[in-house]
C-alpha cells in the first residue's frame, strides 16, 4: 500500500513499509517512515480516508459495503473520499453534500 501521510501532505503515492505500522479504528495502516508514523499517530483522523475508505455513495444508496479505490478518489473538505467506480465518483462530485459525512 501507500503511506496515508504522504498522500495527504504531498499528494503523491509513497510506498509504505511493514516496520512503520499503526492501528486505528480496527484497521492497520502502514506508513513510509518513522516521521510519517509519528504524524499519523498524533492525529490519525487527519490522514485516514473518509469512512475508512468505504465507498460512501454505495453505502448511502443501500448497496453492499464496498471499499473505495485510489483510482476513483477525490479530495473534499480536505479529506480523501474513495469510490469503487467512476460512476460513484461522478455521483459524489455532482452532489457531495448528499454523501459526505457531516464534520
Amino acid at each position: 500500500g501507500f503511506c496515508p501521510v504522504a498522500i495527504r501532505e504531498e499528494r503523491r503515492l509513497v510506498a509504505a513499509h511493514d516496520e512503520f505500522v499503526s492501528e486505528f479504528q480496527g484497521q492497520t495502516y502502514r506508513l513510509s517512515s518513522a516521521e510519517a508514523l509519528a504524524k499519523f499517530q498524533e492525529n490519525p483522523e487527519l490522514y485516514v480516508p473518509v469512512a475508512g475508505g468505504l465507498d460512501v455513495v454505495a453505502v448511502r444508496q443501500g448497496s453492499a459495503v464496498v471499499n473505495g479505490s485510489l483510482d476513483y478518489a477525490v479530495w473534499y473538505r480536505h479529506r480523501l473520499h474513495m469510490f469503487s467506480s467512476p460512476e460513484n465518483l461522478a455521483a459524489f462530485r455532482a452532489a457531495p453534500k448528499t454523501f459526505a459525512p457531516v464534520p
Side-chain angles (χ1 to χ4, degrees), residues 21-60:
V21 177
S22 186
E23 298 277 331
F24 180 68
Q25 293 183 336
Q27 292 190 1
T28 301
Y29 293 90
R30 287 172 177 70
L31 295 295
S32 59
S33 67
E35 179 183 353
L37 177 62
K39 285 182 179 183
F40 182 87
Q41 290 176 329
E42 273 183 37
N43 188 2
E45 288 183 352
L46 187 63
Y47 299 105
V48 299
V50 169
L54 296 178
D55 181 335
V56 294
V57 172
V59 171
R60 173 97 172 169

